[in-house]
Amino acid sequence: MSIIIVVTTLIISCNEKKTQNSRNDQNPLYLEASASVEDRIEDLMSRMTLEDKAAQMSQYVGMEHMRKALGDLSEEELDKNDAQGFYPGFKTTDIARLTREGKIGSFLHVLTAEEANELQELAQESPLKIPLLIGIDAIHGNAYYQGGATVYPTPITQAATFDDSLMVKASQQTAKEMRATGTQWTFTPNIDVLRDPRWGRTGETYGEDPFLVGNMGVAAIKGLQGDDFSGSDKVIACAKHLIAGSQSVNGLNASPTDVSKRTLFEMFLPPYRRAVQEANVFSIMAAHNEVNGMPGHMDEFMMTDLMRDRWGFKGFYVSDWNDISRIAKWHHVARDFKESVQFSVGAGMDMNMHGPYFQDYVVELVNEGKLSEERVNDAVYKILEAKFRLGLFENPFIDLESIKSKIFTEEHKQTALEQARKGVVLQKNNGFLPLKNVSGKKIFITGPNADNMTTLGDWTSPQPEDNYVTIKEGIDNLAEKYNYATDYYDCGQRSKWITDENIATAKQRAAQSDIIILVLGENSYRHDWKNKTTGENIDRATLALSGNQIKLANKLFELNKPVVVVYVSGSPIAEPWLEQRAKAVVNAWEPGAFGGQAVAEILTGEVNPSGKLPLTVPRSVGQLQMIYNHKPTAYIHKYNTEKKVPLHPFGFGLSFSKFEFSEPTVSKADFAGIDDTITVEVTVNNTSNVDGEEVVQMYVRDNRSSYTRPVKELKGYKRVFVKAGESKTVSIPITAESLAMYDKDFNFVVEPGDFTIMTGNSSADKDLKTTTISVKNGFTIEKVN
């Protein structure tokens, strides 16, 4: 009888559900904004076929991007070739049809707001009317394809500010500009910890320190997503790239990485753990590279065992560009694309960037029993959750008339300028800066990066000339105020263009001046591929200046006139000889739209420099690996022809002020347990007659540990403004995580013993003062599942 009752109950329940669904076919629950996100997803997924679900896991590039990739073809040729540049056998009309049929869930590289609306209109014609999730590489502002957007400094420049709150602010503004122009998902932040500056993507990172990278990454995610990315002014962030691509075996992007599990946990993974647990990042991108023989796009340990099961990642994974197919093509681990899909999705991958066939293979693999439909459901649930929480089901479109009022606003421009001002690092100054007594003087400006868009960095499209200030323009704009004259000579807009004739002319012109501003560096500008010398997929075999830049500098030094060198580059420049001869060296990194203004203000003293190096600058490529947080035995012996100290240490940066630091004091000497906090206090005294801002840095060393630990690790920092002749006391907390390490089983623990606390204004020993705290009884913060 009980069996009959159960069966009857199930039949009634199923009939009720069918009746309810039937009743809601015209007004389905998933389209009701008042219903909970969870109920809406459940209702929608109950209506989806396996093919519908696989389509949500598929991403394509925008149709205009496909056409643009083909170059300058006639209309007749476009009609014949159309999307062949991306998807052989597919025309843009086919992509439009697939969108209208609901067989594409996401797009990237949609070039205009108008196209975004057109694609969403196509999606609304599909049977289930599921809106599209549109992604873009808004790495430092939304200017990758959006002309007229605010171009913020690149991530390496943002990291040099050591200002987390400013990072949040810039990211909030980027999210607003993205939503205003039709995109809802950005493939940033890049929280790869930099370990080899030959890597062209150095400028896309936040530097070499896990704590700084983690702070900047968390700040970026919180700014972009807010608390839960709900609403019309938030977007989804994407932490990338999982993992360790910055320490490949040869410094080249996508090359193999071979590092220990301990290095992964200690150096590369901390920013990801924090991105998930502190910022609730909702998407993660896998890496091109393999790690210890395992391609990142099929690494089940990283994607599922660690990030999801141990650390609680609740969002979805997306592949990098074509990288699922490359499991077969590049890594030779799978037979073909279909088996690559099996390995990748089976390991935890949720969305394919980009193109056809992926969803067909997902369906086939499920029907063949090689992929579970539960794995597909998990992926689709999170993708749909993103679309619901973003509000796309209520309004997938944007108001084209309102775009101009929401991008490149005065507030956004001011933030970009402030980041540039705080990110510029003064690497050398023998007292020549700020420029003094320049009234009536002539300043000669030259160099390949003096008057072009290299200041905008890698992930930027050509911008309107009125929307950015070059170095030359910044110096020119202050000429009347300070009563100096300027002379500019274009010696070659790219380092590769500098000729002997250019150099001779530059020297002749410079001879007529009083001061020389020499703007050197590298070029990562994305829309100038043939002249790029760094950036994505343009890696460096040297850290020296490219082309004839040193030859140019040498000839100008022969004039025995004061030379100020300004670097514009996303990668560090290692030129000890050049820095020795220059009166001052200003590292502008890639300072964004208003970088020229910020540099000019620093040169003249209107702004006191306060940026700090987010990476160690080696003397040459031969010193690599050169990092401040090395292990104790790294420098037991010497090089036979090179010093073993860097050109500039991590955290270093000069000021026009002079700061003195007190010895650090601690609120107590013994750290009691997992919830305990010790406060470190440092007094900063400005002994100069110039108001200034300093970055107080706190490092920790575990004096004796079960596994070797770095000689020092950054665990806190704080910006402080101190007026001339005044002093301020800065407080920085030490928490359990400040002292933690991974034990033999990779539990996250604090071991008993003594810890040295170091405070100062760089990582160099000479700039640090110390005290000691103790942990009497060790404890565990996090155990392996």
Short mmCIF file of all heavy atoms in Angstrom, two decimals, residues 30-62:
data_model
loop_
_atom_site.label_atom_id
_atom_site.label_comp_id
_atom_site.label_asym_id
_atom_site.label_seq_id
_atom_site.Cartn_x
_atom_site.Cartn_y
_atom_site.Cartn_z
N TYR A 30 10.47 32.22 -14.98
CA TYR A 30 11.83 32.75 -15.11
C TYR A 30 11.86 34.16 -15.69
O TYR A 30 12.87 34.85 -15.58
CB TYR A 30 12.71 31.80 -15.92
CG TYR A 30 12.51 31.78 -17.42
CD1 TYR A 30 13.18 32.66 -18.26
CD2 TYR A 30 11.66 30.84 -18.01
CE1 TYR A 30 13.02 32.63 -19.63
CE2 TYR A 30 11.48 30.81 -19.38
CZ TYR A 30 12.16 31.70 -20.19
OH TYR A 30 12.00 31.66 -21.55
N LEU A 31 10.75 34.60 -16.26
CA LEU A 31 10.68 35.96 -16.77
C LEU A 31 10.04 36.93 -15.78
O LEU A 31 9.85 38.11 -16.10
CB LEU A 31 9.92 36.00 -18.09
CG LEU A 31 10.62 35.32 -19.28
CD1 LEU A 31 9.77 35.43 -20.54
CD2 LEU A 31 12.01 35.90 -19.52
N GLU A 32 9.72 36.44 -14.58
CA GLU A 32 9.12 37.29 -13.56
C GLU A 32 10.22 37.87 -12.67
O GLU A 32 10.87 37.14 -11.92
CB GLU A 32 8.12 36.51 -12.72
CG GLU A 32 6.88 36.08 -13.50
CD GLU A 32 5.86 35.37 -12.63
OE1 GLU A 32 6.01 35.42 -11.39
OE2 GLU A 32 4.93 34.77 -13.18
N ALA A 33 10.42 39.16 -12.75
CA ALA A 33 11.50 39.81 -12.01
C ALA A 33 11.34 39.68 -10.51
O ALA A 33 12.32 39.72 -9.76
CB ALA A 33 11.58 41.29 -12.40
N SER A 34 10.11 39.53 -10.02
CA SER A 34 9.87 39.46 -8.58
C SER A 34 10.24 38.11 -7.97
O SER A 34 10.38 37.99 -6.75
CB SER A 34 8.39 39.76 -8.29
OG SER A 34 7.56 38.81 -8.94
N ALA A 35 10.39 37.08 -8.81
CA ALA A 35 10.74 35.75 -8.30
C ALA A 35 12.21 35.71 -7.90
O ALA A 35 13.03 36.52 -8.36
CB ALA A 35 10.44 34.70 -9.36
N SER A 36 12.58 34.75 -7.06
CA SER A 36 13.97 34.62 -6.64
C SER A 36 14.82 34.14 -7.81
O SER A 36 14.32 33.46 -8.72
CB SER A 36 14.10 33.65 -5.48
OG SER A 36 13.88 32.32 -5.91
N VAL A 37 16.09 34.50 -7.78
CA VAL A 37 17.01 34.06 -8.84
C VAL A 37 17.05 32.54 -8.90
O VAL A 37 17.04 31.94 -9.99
CB VAL A 37 18.42 34.65 -8.61
CG1 VAL A 37 19.44 33.99 -9.53
CG2 VAL A 37 18.41 36.15 -8.81
N GLU A 38 17.08 31.91 -7.75
CA GLU A 38 17.16 30.45 -7.72
C GLU A 38 15.94 29.81 -8.38
O GLU A 38 16.07 28.86 -9.18
CB GLU A 38 17.28 29.96 -6.27
CG GLU A 38 18.58 30.32 -5.58
CD GLU A 38 18.66 31.78 -5.14
OE1 GLU A 38 17.60 32.48 -5.16
OE2 GLU A 38 19.76 32.23 -4.80
N ASP A 39 14.74 30.32 -8.06
CA ASP A 39 13.53 29.77 -8.66
C ASP A 39 13.48 30.04 -10.16
O ASP A 39 13.03 29.19 -10.95
CB ASP A 39 12.29 30.37 -8.00
CG ASP A 39 12.06 29.85 -6.59
OD1 ASP A 39 12.69 28.83 -6.24
OD2 ASP A 39 11.28 30.47 -5.85
N ARG A 40 13.95 31.18 -10.56
CA ARG A 40 13.94 31.52 -11.98
C ARG A 40 14.88 30.60 -12.76
O ARG A 40 14.55 30.14 -13.85
CB ARG A 40 14.34 32.98 -12.17
CG ARG A 40 13.37 33.96 -11.57
CD ARG A 40 13.83 35.41 -11.70
NE ARG A 40 13.63 35.92 -13.05
CZ ARG A 40 13.97 37.14 -13.43
NH1 ARG A 40 14.55 37.97 -12.57
NH2 ARG A 40 13.75 37.54 -14.68
N ILE A 41 16.07 30.34 -12.19
CA ILE A 41 17.02 29.45 -12.87
C ILE A 41 16.43 28.06 -12.97
O ILE A 41 16.49 27.40 -14.03
CB ILE A 41 18.36 29.41 -12.12
CG1 ILE A 41 19.03 30.79 -12.13
CG2 ILE A 41 19.29 28.37 -12.75
CD1 ILE A 41 20.28 30.88 -11.26
N GLU A 42 15.85 27.57 -11.88
CA GLU A 42 15.27 26.22 -11.88
C GLU A 42 14.17 26.10 -12.92
O GLU A 42 14.09 25.11 -13.66
CB GLU A 42 14.73 25.89 -10.48
CG GLU A 42 14.17 24.48 -10.37
CD GLU A 42 13.66 24.16 -8.99
OE1 GLU A 42 13.94 24.92 -8.05
OE2 GLU A 42 12.96 23.13 -8.85
N ASP A 43 13.32 27.11 -12.99
CA ASP A 43 12.24 27.08 -13.96
C ASP A 43 12.78 27.10 -15.39
O ASP A 43 12.34 26.32 -16.25
CB ASP A 43 11.31 28.28 -13.74
CG ASP A 43 10.17 28.31 -14.75
OD1 ASP A 43 9.34 27.38 -14.75
OD2 ASP A 43 10.12 29.27 -15.55
N LEU A 44 13.75 27.96 -15.64
CA LEU A 44 14.31 28.06 -16.98
C LEU A 44 15.00 26.76 -17.39
O LEU A 44 14.81 26.26 -18.50
CB LEU A 44 15.28 29.23 -17.08
CG LEU A 44 16.02 29.41 -18.41
CD1 LEU A 44 15.05 29.50 -19.58
CD2 LEU A 44 16.91 30.65 -18.35
N MET A 45 15.80 26.22 -16.49
CA MET A 45 16.54 25.00 -16.84
C MET A 45 15.60 23.82 -17.06
O MET A 45 15.93 22.90 -17.85
CB MET A 45 17.59 24.69 -15.77
CG MET A 45 18.74 25.68 -15.77
SD MET A 45 20.12 25.21 -14.69
CE MET A 45 20.74 23.76 -15.52
N SER A 46 14.44 23.82 -16.42
CA SER A 46 13.47 22.73 -16.63
C SER A 46 12.91 22.77 -18.05
O SER A 46 12.35 21.79 -18.54
CB SER A 46 12.34 22.83 -15.61
OG SER A 46 11.49 23.93 -15.90
N ARG A 47 13.02 23.91 -18.70
CA ARG A 47 12.49 24.08 -20.04
C ARG A 47 13.57 23.90 -21.12
O ARG A 47 13.26 23.92 -22.31
CB ARG A 47 11.90 25.49 -20.19
CG ARG A 47 10.79 25.81 -19.20
CD ARG A 47 10.47 27.30 -19.18
NE ARG A 47 9.51 27.64 -18.13
CZ ARG A 47 8.19 27.59 -18.27
NH1 ARG A 47 7.67 27.24 -19.44
NH2 ARG A 47 7.39 27.89 -17.28
N MET A 48 14.83 23.75 -20.71
CA MET A 48 15.93 23.72 -21.66
C MET A 48 16.29 22.30 -22.07
O MET A 48 16.34 21.39 -21.23
CB MET A 48 17.17 24.40 -21.05
CG MET A 48 16.97 25.88 -20.76
SD MET A 48 18.35 26.60 -19.84
CE MET A 48 19.61 26.65 -21.14
N THR A 49 16.53 22.12 -23.34
CA THR A 49 17.06 20.85 -23.83
C THR A 49 18.57 20.81 -23.56
O THR A 49 19.19 21.83 -23.20
CB THR A 49 16.83 20.70 -25.33
OG1 THR A 49 17.58 21.72 -26.02
CG2 THR A 49 15.35 20.84 -25.68
N LEU A 50 19.16 19.66 -23.74
CA LEU A 50 20.62 19.54 -23.62
C LEU A 50 21.30 20.48 -24.61
O LEU A 50 22.33 21.10 -24.29
CB LEU A 50 21.05 18.09 -23.86
CG LEU A 50 22.55 17.82 -23.84
CD1 LEU A 50 23.17 18.22 -22.50
CD2 LEU A 50 22.83 16.34 -24.15
N GLU A 51 20.74 20.60 -25.82
CA GLU A 51 21.31 21.50 -26.82
C GLU A 51 21.24 22.95 -26.36
O GLU A 51 22.18 23.73 -26.57
CB GLU A 51 20.57 21.33 -28.15
CG GLU A 51 20.85 20.02 -28.88
CD GLU A 51 20.13 18.82 -28.27
OE1 GLU A 51 19.26 19.02 -27.39
OE2 GLU A 51 20.44 17.68 -28.67
N ASP A 52 20.13 23.32 -25.73
CA ASP A 52 20.00 24.68 -25.19
C ASP A 52 21.08 24.96 -24.15
O ASP A 52 21.67 26.05 -24.11
CB ASP A 52 18.63 24.88 -24.55
CG ASP A 52 17.48 24.86 -25.54
OD1 ASP A 52 17.71 25.21 -26.71
OD2 ASP A 52 16.36 24.50 -25.13
N LYS A 53 21.32 23.98 -23.31
CA LYS A 53 22.30 24.15 -22.24
C LYS A 53 23.72 24.28 -22.80
O LYS A 53 24.49 25.15 -22.39
CB LYS A 53 22.22 22.97 -21.27
CG LYS A 53 20.91 22.90 -20.50
CD LYS A 53 20.81 21.60 -19.69
CE LYS A 53 19.46 21.50 -18.99
NZ LYS A 53 19.33 20.20 -18.26
N ALA A 54 24.04 23.41 -23.75
CA ALA A 54 25.37 23.47 -24.35
C ALA A 54 25.59 24.81 -25.04
O ALA A 54 26.71 25.34 -25.06
CB ALA A 54 25.56 22.32 -25.34
N ALA A 55 24.53 25.39 -25.60
CA ALA A 55 24.65 26.68 -26.26
C ALA A 55 25.03 27.78 -25.27
O ALA A 55 25.79 28.70 -25.61
CB ALA A 55 23.32 27.03 -26.94
N GLN A 56 24.52 27.69 -24.04
CA GLN A 56 24.87 28.70 -23.03
C GLN A 56 26.35 28.63 -22.66
O GLN A 56 26.91 29.61 -22.17
CB GLN A 56 24.00 28.51 -21.79
CG GLN A 56 22.56 28.90 -21.98
CD GLN A 56 22.41 30.36 -22.37
OE1 GLN A 56 22.86 31.25 -21.66
NE2 GLN A 56 21.79 30.61 -23.52
N MET A 57 26.98 27.52 -22.91
CA MET A 57 28.40 27.35 -22.61
C MET A 57 29.30 27.81 -23.76
O MET A 57 30.52 27.70 -23.67
CB MET A 57 28.68 25.87 -22.30
CG MET A 57 27.90 25.31 -21.12
SD MET A 57 28.00 23.50 -21.01
CE MET A 57 29.71 23.27 -20.54
N SER A 58 28.69 28.35 -24.81
CA SER A 58 29.42 28.68 -26.03
C SER A 58 29.51 30.19 -26.23
O SER A 58 28.52 30.90 -26.12
CB SER A 58 28.72 28.07 -27.25
OG SER A 58 28.65 26.66 -27.11
N GLN A 59 30.70 30.65 -26.56
CA GLN A 59 30.95 32.07 -26.79
C GLN A 59 31.53 32.26 -28.19
O GLN A 59 32.34 31.44 -28.65
CB GLN A 59 31.92 32.60 -25.73
CG GLN A 59 32.20 34.09 -25.83
CD GLN A 59 33.20 34.54 -24.78
OE1 GLN A 59 34.37 34.17 -24.86
NE2 GLN A 59 32.76 35.32 -23.80
N TYR A 60 31.13 33.35 -28.84
CA TYR A 60 31.64 33.69 -30.16
C TYR A 60 32.14 35.13 -30.16
O TYR A 60 31.70 35.95 -29.33
CB TYR A 60 30.53 33.57 -31.21
CG TYR A 60 30.16 32.15 -31.60
CD1 TYR A 60 29.55 31.29 -30.70
CD2 TYR A 60 30.40 31.69 -32.89
CE1 TYR A 60 29.19 30.00 -31.05
CE2 TYR A 60 30.05 30.39 -33.27
CZ TYR A 60 29.45 29.55 -32.34
OH TYR A 60 29.11 28.28 -32.71
N VAL A 61 33.00 35.47 -31.09
CA VAL A 61 33.38 36.87 -31.26
C VAL A 61 32.29 37.59 -32.03
O VAL A 61 31.53 36.98 -32.79
CB VAL A 61 34.74 37.03 -31.99
CG1 VAL A 61 35.86 36.40 -31.20
CG2 VAL A 61 34.68 36.46 -33.39
N GLY A 62 32.21 38.91 -31.82
CA GLY A 62 31.19 39.70 -32.48
C GLY A 62 31.34 39.70 -33.99
O GLY A 62 32.44 39.51 -34.54
#
